[in-house]
Amino acid sequence: MIDSLLLQLMLIGFLGVGSQWVAWRFRLPAIVVMSIAGLLAGPVLGVMNPEQDFGDLYKPIISLAVAVILFEGSLNLDFKEVKGLGRPVFRIVTFGAFLSWILGSLAAHYVAGLSWAVAFTIGGLFIVTGPTVILPLLRQAKLKPRPAKILKWEGIIVDPIGALLAVFAFEIIVFLTDNDPSALMLFFAASAFAVFLGWVCGKGVGWMFETGYIPEFLKSPAVFAVVIACFTIADEIMHETGLLSVTAMGMTLANMHISSIADMRHFKENISLLLISTIFVMLTASLTVETLLEIFNLQIIGFVALMLFIVRPLSIFLSTVGTDLSKSEKLLVGWIAPRGIVALTVASYFASVLLEEGFEDASILISLTFALVFTTVVAHGFSIGWLARKLRLSMEGPPGVLIVGGSAFTTGLAKTLEELKIPVLITDSSWERLSRARSRGMKSYHGEILSEQTEYYLDMTPYEYLVAATELDSYNALVCTTFVPEYGRNNSFQLSLSNKEGDNLEDLVHTIGGRVLFQEGASWEELNARVENGYVFRKTTITDQYPYEDYVENMDEHALMLFVKRSTGKVDFFTPNMEYKAENGDVIVSLMPPSKEFEKIQEKLEGQRKGKENNKTK
């Protein structure tokens, strides 16, 4: 056991972020890797027990982290996004949540053997999915926009509702036991106050941002402080209403459409990712060996099976009757419902409270909850991608390329990518610049890529590479800088600077923008001039008979290597600082002078002529 809290904090952070990296590197569900890391460090090896070692600080740390995570998730709940999905989402988070509560409570009573009071309390809590587990799965699975948005909205909205249902059920128990109506009235009043407080905080922060009362450098810290205050005030009045308050605050800010909120969203996402990583490790590391062994109780196994295969699918199918959801979408949404941090934290709270009230069967709540959390995280984490592909609700395929800027060069590049079965899209705000692409049947989008409306009309899920290829260097840099958080700096590219007389952008590109494509001097003007002068896009497959070394040796001195398509489907663009070596099975695409093409045509014609002469002599 590590005695130093500083060492424990270091280890928790290392395991959390390291688990995220392992999950990304080997395409595994991040929550599963984090759970295993926490279990190994805690009950298995006994290296640490955060709940015991952190003492009174443990629960406040977990609660504040959940509040920040839920707030960050609710910042994405713009009502414009739910356009066309309003009815299914509304039905799922209301009627579906109610059905899940009733059915889950019945399963807890008749299968897990819990008393009615405990069953209805924990049944309310088990309707939650939450952003801590749903959002990582959605990033991993690359679902189509419609089912992805439904799962995201459900996870974020139902998270506080589930906690409140558990509190509501507990207050009903207190009311029936003590015949005290004031407790029930206090619950409803506290919930209404929490929503009002969140709305006021959101409106207040938004107004201060818009009027300039908060300087730019203080905006993120100010929001962070207000979120904690909003959560704490509501939670002190009534336990778990703080989650409702921060959700209301986040949704209020998201629908005010303030540019400052969009700018800081990436900071909030980074904080949220760090908190998810560390908190999940802390929770799993705090479990005891006895809790883990109790999971194998037949009653607990039966309850978990019912929740997975009966309760969740049935509640989704019944609640979406009469909506426009397809059977495939119902099947996917009806299967995916992983439980996460909120379920674990709130269950531990109610276990202690119910035991104090004399309900001895509440002693198994932590084991029951962890069994459901771990099983759903593993089952849904490993199956979401496979099931989405089977139901044709996945954007599976080779990583695509999003090209910003219509021109002769980008049209030729896009056509070549399309011929290689790589998804590609050209976007431009000018119909005229898109005319070449449209005339050749290329997939295109007419609109301003930097507009906030774009994300509602353009699905960017299939595209993992961004190529900014307009004639304006500053615009290319702005586009890459804007989308670096989504695509990553290694996958964001822009054309080489034009180096026009009077411009001094050389220093600028090192601090903002994307990676420069191809080679120095391959500017918009140069590339388009080559295409207009007859240069062609040549695809060459590397084989044992024609290795990469021979290709480089025979390449025309005026040729420009553009990218390598790997046999795995991955695309590696050539840059001035990075020249990739092609292996057997890879395809190199280059922009070749027309003389090579003429030579090939002449050789082909000469071969045909000789063939005809040979036939005549026979």
Side-chain angles (χ1 to χ4, degrees):
M1 180 74 71
I2 297 177
D3 295 327
S4 169
L5 284 182
L6 185 60
L7 280 176
Q8 282 204 37
L9 286 170
M10 180 274 293
L11 183 59
I12 289 169
F14 177 79
L15 289 175
V17 177
S19 297
Q20 292 277 5
W21 182 85
V22 169
W24 165 79
R25 182 66 179 82
F26 298 101
R27 296 182 175 273
L28 299 171
I31 300 296
V32 175
V33 182
M34 288 187 284
S35 300
I36 294 172
L39 290 174
L40 288 174
V44 176
L45 300 177
V47 175
M48 60 179 173
N49 187 333
E51 183 175 15
Q52 177 182 312
D53 298 332
F54 283 70
D56 293 338
L57 285 175
Y58 178 77
K59 288 185 177 179
I61 289 173
I62 299 289
S63 297
L64 289 176
V66 172
V68 173
I69 293 166
L70 199 55
F71 170 75
E72 189 277 321
S74 62
L75 271 183
N76 297 312
L77 296 183
D78 192 328
F79 290 125
K80 289 182 181 179
E81 188 182 88
V82 81
K83 184 178 181 182
L85 295 174
R87 192 178 181 191
V89 169
F90 179 77
R91 295 276 294 274
I92 289 172
V93 301
T94 53
F95 185 47
F98 177 76
L99 280 175
S100 183
W101 178 30
I102 299 301
L103 294 174
S105 301
L106 292 174
H109 175 71
Y110 287 108
V111 179
L114 300 178
S115 62
W116 282 114
V118 178
F120 271 92
T121 300
I122 206 66
L125 178 61
F126 284 162
I127 72 170
V128 304
T129 53
T132 59
V133 283
I134 280 293
L135 297 184
L137 288 189
L138 295 182
R139 283 194 293 267
Q140 165 203 340
K142 294 184 181 179
L143 296 184
K144 288 184 177 179
R146 186 178 168 91
K149 288 177 182 178
I150 291 173
L151 287 169
K152 182 180 78 173
W153 274 79
E154 181 204 9
I156 295 172
I157 293 176
V158 171
D159 220 32
I161 291 177
L164 287 174
L165 270 179
V167 176
F168 172 70
F170 177 71
E171 294 301 333
I172 290 289
I173 295 169
V174 173
F175 169 72
L176 293 176
T177 305
D178 302 335
N179 196 23
D180 182 12
S182 61
L184 204 57
M185 294 300 295
L186 177 61
F187 166 75
F188 287 115
S191 299
F193 173 76
V195 174
F196 176 73
L197 177 64
W199 179 82
V200 168
C201 288
K203 284 290 185 182
V205 168
W207 176 79
M208 294 181 76
F209 279 13
E210 288 184 309
T211 53
Y213 276 95
I214 299 179
E216 202 67 36
F217 73 94
L218 272 182
K219 286 184 176 179
S220 290
V223 171
F224 195 77
V226 174
V227 168
I228 293 175
C230 181
F231 170 79
T232 305
I233 293 170
D235 211 60
E236 285 297 310
I237 294 173
M238 174 68 71
H239 200 68
E240 301 309 331
T241 57
L243 297 178
L244 187 63
S245 191
V246 294
T247 302
M249 178 182 170
M251 291 181 68
T252 301
L253 281 170
N255 289 277
M256 290 179 72
H257 303 114
I258 303 170
S259 59
S260 298
I261 298 299
D263 294 340
M264 72 172 62
R265 184 175 285 134
H266 302 307
F267 167 76
K268 296 293 182 187
E269 287 173 353
N270 292 336
I271 293 294
S272 179
L273 183 64
L274 181 63
L275 289 175
I276 290 172
S277 304
T278 55
I279 298 306
F280 219 87
V281 171
M282 286 179 65
L283 285 169
T284 50
S286 299
L287 296 171
T288 62
V289 176
E290 291 74 18
T291 300
L292 295 180
L293 293 176
E294 199 171 18
I295 288 173
F296 298 100
N297 184 313
L298 286 178
Q299 289 178 306
I300 292 179
I301 293 173
F303 170 77
V304 171
L306 271 180
M307 293 294 288
L308 259 71
F309 300 107
I310 303 296
V311 173
R312 170 66 178 184
L314 192 59
S315 63
I316 293 297
F317 271 87
L318 291 177
S319 64
T320 55
V321 170
T323 65
D324 60 347
L325 288 186
S326 65
K327 288 184 179 179
S328 296
E329 289 170 332
K330 289 180 182 180
L331 279 171
L332 183 67
V333 175
W335 170 244
I336 302 300
R339 277 66 169 186
I341 289 175
V342 171
L344 279 174
T345 54
V346 181
S348 62
Y349 164 75
F350 278 111
S352 59
V353 171
L354 288 167
L355 283 171
E356 289 175 5
E357 292 291 326
F359 296 97
E360 296 182 1
D361 53 330
S363 60
I364 71 165
L365 285 188
I366 296 178
S367 299
L368 187 71
T369 306
F370 182 74
L372 184 63
V373 168
F374 189 75
T375 303
T376 54
V377 162
V378 172
H380 299 151
F382 282 107
S383 65
I384 184 171
W386 173 84
L387 183 60
R389 288 191 294 273
K390 288 292 183 182
L391 297 174
R392 297 184 179 179
L393 295 175
S394 172
M395 305 298 294
E396 279 299 313
V401 180
L402 176 64
I403 301 175
V404 180
S407 65
F409 169 74
T410 56
T411 301
L413 177 65
K415 192 64 179 177
T416 306
L417 288 164
E418 188 181 63
E419 290 169 355
L420 291 170
K421 310 299 182 185
I422 297 171
V424 62
L425 174 73
I426 300 179
T427 174
D428 203 303
S429 58
S430 166
W431 280 113
E432 183 180 352
R433 289 193 290 267
L434 284 176
S435 59
R436 285 189 183 88
R438 294 171 62 228
S439 65
R440 298 186 65 179
M442 301 300 303
K443 187 176 180 181
S444 62
Y445 171 77
H446 176 247
E448 174 53 62
I449 192 69
L450 295 177
S451 169
E452 67 174 25
Q453 303 300 320
T454 300
E455 62 179 300
Y456 305 123
Y457 301 108
L458 178 61
D459 177 26
M460 298 186 184
T461 308
Y463 311 108
E464 293 188 14
Y465 306 97
L466 173 72
V467 174
T470 72
E471 66 271 33
L472 299 175
D473 294 330
S474 55
Y475 183 77
N476 292 339
L478 179 60
V479 168
C480 287
T481 302
T482 302
F483 287 98
V484 156
E486 280 77 21
Y487 289 93
R489 193 164 296 279
N490 286 339
N491 288 353
S492 302
F493 301 93
Q494 67 181 85
L495 296 183
S496 181
L497 296 180
S498 301
N499 290 326
K500 295 177 182 177
E501 188 174 349
D503 290 340
N504 187 18
L505 299 175
E506 188 61 33
D507 292 335
L508 182 67
V509 78
H510 298 302
T511 55
I512 65 172
R515 299 168 67 195
V516 174
L517 277 172
F518 314 136
Q519 66 184 31
E520 295 294 343
S523 62
W524 184 89
E525 292 84 359
E526 174 64 24
L527 291 170
N528 280 283
R530 291 193 184 196
V531 173
E532 297 290 353
N533 289 327
Y535 275 61
V536 294
F537 293 84
R538 172 79 64 79
K539 302 183 291 291
T540 306
T541 303
I542 301 301
T543 63
D544 289 329
Q545 292 75 29
Y546 193 63
Y548 176 72
E549 291 75 13
D550 290 352
Y551 174 83
V552 173
E553 184 179 345
N554 297 329
M555 189 173 62
D556 188 283
E557 60 178 341
H558 298 295
L560 178 66
M561 290 196 291
L562 303 180
F563 65 88
V564 180
K565 186 212 173 182
R566 304 294 182 186
S567 54
T568 59
K570 181 183 176 184
V571 177
D572 286 326
F573 286 95
F574 287 100
T575 66
N577 300 323
M578 184 71 72
E579 183 175 332
Y580 298 99
K581 184 176 181 179
E583 307 292 340
N584 285 351
D586 295 344
V587 178
I588 300 180
V589 174
S590 301
L591 191 59
M592 292 283 193
S595 58
K596 285 284 183 181
E597 290 301 306
F598 294 151
E599 289 175 8
K600 283 185 65 179
I601 293 171
Q602 290 297 326
E603 289 175 3
K604 185 177 180 181
L605 291 174
E606 184 67 22
Q608 291 175 348
R609 185 183 63 79
K610 289 181 178 179
K612 289 179 180 178
E613 289 179 355
N614 292 334
N615 288 334
K616 287 179 180 180
T617 57
K618 288 182 179 179

